[in-house]
Amino acid sequence: MFKIAIIGQKGGTGKTTVTLGLAVEAARAGRAVAVIDLDPQANAANWKDRREAENPVVVSAQVSRLKPTLKTIEDHGVDLVFIDTPGRSDSAAIEAARAADLVLIPVRAQVFDLETLAGVRDLLRVAGDPTAYVVLNGVHPQSTKGAESAKELIESTFGFKVAPVHLCTRSVYAEAPTLGQAPQEVDPTSRAREELQQLYMFTCNNVGL
């Protein structure tokens, strides 16, 4: 079973959006998928309550129960699990990163988000320096040059590798959760579907799927 943690030190960066978008993309690819929701706000679990499709499964858990929860999920035949973490919770980020084969760190290209990356770098060191990539989120659809500049800044200033795929600001990202769906289900022809598909393929390549 492959494990992917989505972490950060700030709320509102898109951690749950990335988690659910990738989980649904994996389910659409025929994989048995689970999401572990470590956030006390339980946004992913609430999303599942509104959802009709069974795959992915969403399990709400406390940080202290992460290891046994992963074991139970694996025993049930899940082959890909995404761990969604709350903002500003060092313990959740560290434990999720320790358990993960790959860590994704969604950030927006604004100073308050970028300033948190130094702290995330420290957390990853404590967690054993797992393979990690920053995922730039909330990019204006017509700001390709701005996105590339932000990626270069993140790499040069904070020493992070940045995923080549970024997510743009699109209304379907906000609309889909209210339906218990992901953007690619609401509009299979949208650019959001292309973004999530490309990010999923990048993720698979980095965990050897």
Side-chain angles (χ1 to χ4, degrees):
M1 183 175 74
F2 294 95
K3 303 171 288 294
I4 299 163
I6 294 84
I7 73 169
Q9 279 203 309
K10 182 179 180 298
T13 60
K15 291 187 293 296
T16 302
T17 296
V18 171
T19 298
L20 298 178
L22 290 177
V24 167
E25 193 62 31
R28 286 161 64 91
R31 298 193 177 277
V33 186
V35 172
I36 298 178
D37 187 356
L38 297 182
D39 191 339
Q41 293 184 352
N43 289 332
N46 291 337
W47 170 85
K48 180 63 176 179
D49 290 341
R50 296 188 291 272
R51 184 171 177 79
E52 295 182 3
E54 293 184 6
N55 196 13
V57 171
V58 178
V59 178
S60 185
Q62 296 179 347
V63 176
S64 61
R65 298 293 301 166
L66 178 57
K67 287 184 179 180
T69 301
L70 285 168
K71 180 64 168 58
T72 299
I73 288 173
E74 186 171 19
D75 289 346
H76 280 78
V78 168
D79 50 29
L80 186 59
V81 59
F82 296 88
I83 307 171
D84 188 23
T85 62
R88 300 175 183 172
S89 175
D90 291 0
S91 60
I94 290 170
E95 292 306 313
R98 277 179 176 157
D101 300 294
L102 176 69
V103 176
L104 300 179
I105 310 153
V107 298
R108 297 180 184 274
Q110 56 189 30
V111 65
F112 295 131
D113 281 24
L114 299 180
E115 286 176 340
T116 67
L117 288 176
V120 174
R121 177 77 272 171
D122 291 341
L123 292 179
L124 289 177
R125 289 194 183 100
V126 174
D129 274 328
T131 301
Y133 286 88
V134 168
V135 177
L136 203 58
N137 185 32
V139 176
H140 190 284
Q142 297 179 344
S143 184
T144 302
K145 289 184 178 179
E148 294 306 315
S149 296
K151 291 175 184 178
E152 292 175 4
L153 175 65
I154 291 167
E155 290 177 346
S156 62
T157 303
F158 301 103
F160 275 108
K161 294 178 287 186
V162 183
V165 183
H166 61 260
L167 306 184
C168 292
T169 300
R170 305 186 192 280
S171 59
V172 70
Y173 282 112
E175 296 166 1
T178 65
L179 305 172
Q181 294 183 324
Q184 63 269 53
E185 296 174 305
V186 174
D187 185 357
T189 65
S190 69
R191 295 297 298 274
R193 181 200 65 80
E194 295 178 16
E195 293 169 357
L196 289 168
Q197 186 178 59
Q198 291 171 6
L199 184 59
Y200 173 68
M201 293 175 64
F202 170 79
T203 300
C204 287
N205 289 337
N206 274 277
V207 295
L209 287 175

